[in-house]
Amino acid sequence: MKNTLLMRTEASHSLNFLIYIQNIFLNRSQSKNELKFPYIPTKCEFRKDFDMRYRELWEEVSKRISEHPINDLEIFTKEKNLFYQSLFAENDDTLNEFDEIYQSFKTWWGSFAGHIAIERSIDENLQDIYLGLANLLTEKGLKPQKELNISLIYKELNISLIYDECLLVDLEPSSYFAILSIRDCFVNSKELNKKLQASIY
């Protein structure tokens, strides 16, 4: 049987910004040996119901990205207040601190150590994941669903890459969409094929 798997991977602006905020939030209660990137010694005031709001925002943002990948950049650039209003206590001090966090992320993300480094660091692993998943589908005689359009091309499995683990939300793949951390690609690569297969069927 011919391999018909199409897979697209991209490091998500919005989801990585959420991981960045998550780590700043978690670092407030971590020991020095458990600190996560970025370590920003800020007293920024988060919402009291941060955990719940974070899960809700993560689900909303990831759903919109799964519906169309172009939504990712639009959310990050045109709806940046969505992050602030959902996760931070609203006052003049936190607005200024949020703006600094946003600018700090943008500076890192736009550098060679950010967006590009994340995608390039796991190129080889993603190739292995693709081949393993394609072989698994071929062995089982499974084909991805076809798009309902004139050309009837096969659906594309979209993978959003994040630089660190999402510790506040359980990441389950949805239909033709999955979120993977760098750690997933290096440490859990064998288990990933079964997990990703579930998003195709």
Side-chain angles (χ1 to χ4, degrees), residues 46-62:
F46 293 98
R47 287 192 172 271
K48 289 185 174 33
D49 57 351
F50 180 90
D51 290 37
M52 182 189 75
R53 295 283 198 134
Y54 187 91
R55 283 190 292 275
E56 290 171 353
L57 183 58
W58 183 278
E59 287 171 17
E60 177 187 340
V61 169
S62 60

Side-chain angles (χ1 to χ4, degrees), residues 57-83:
L57 183 58
W58 183 278
E59 287 171 17
E60 177 187 340
V61 169
S62 60
K63 181 178 185 299
R64 288 172 61 187
I65 294 170
S66 75
E67 289 168 355
H68 201 297
I70 198 165
N71 290 332
D72 176 39
L73 189 55
E74 289 183 10
I75 293 166
F76 181 71
T77 57
K78 297 179 182 174
E79 300 180 46
K80 84 174 198 179
N81 281 339
L82 179 66
F83 300 97

Side-chain angles (χ1 to χ4, degrees), residues 5 7 10 14 17 40 43 64 103 113 149 159:
L5 177 66
M7 190 170 91
E10 185 172 37
S14 300
F17 185 48
I40 299 176
K43 301 293 183 197
R64 288 172 61 187
Q103 190 58 48
N149 61 24
I159 296 176

Side-chain angles (χ1 to χ4, degrees), residues 92-103:
D92 290 341
D93 291 338
T94 58
L95 180 57
N96 291 333
E97 289 169 345
F98 170 77
D99 286 338
E100 289 178 10
I101 290 168
Y102 185 82
Q103 190 58 48

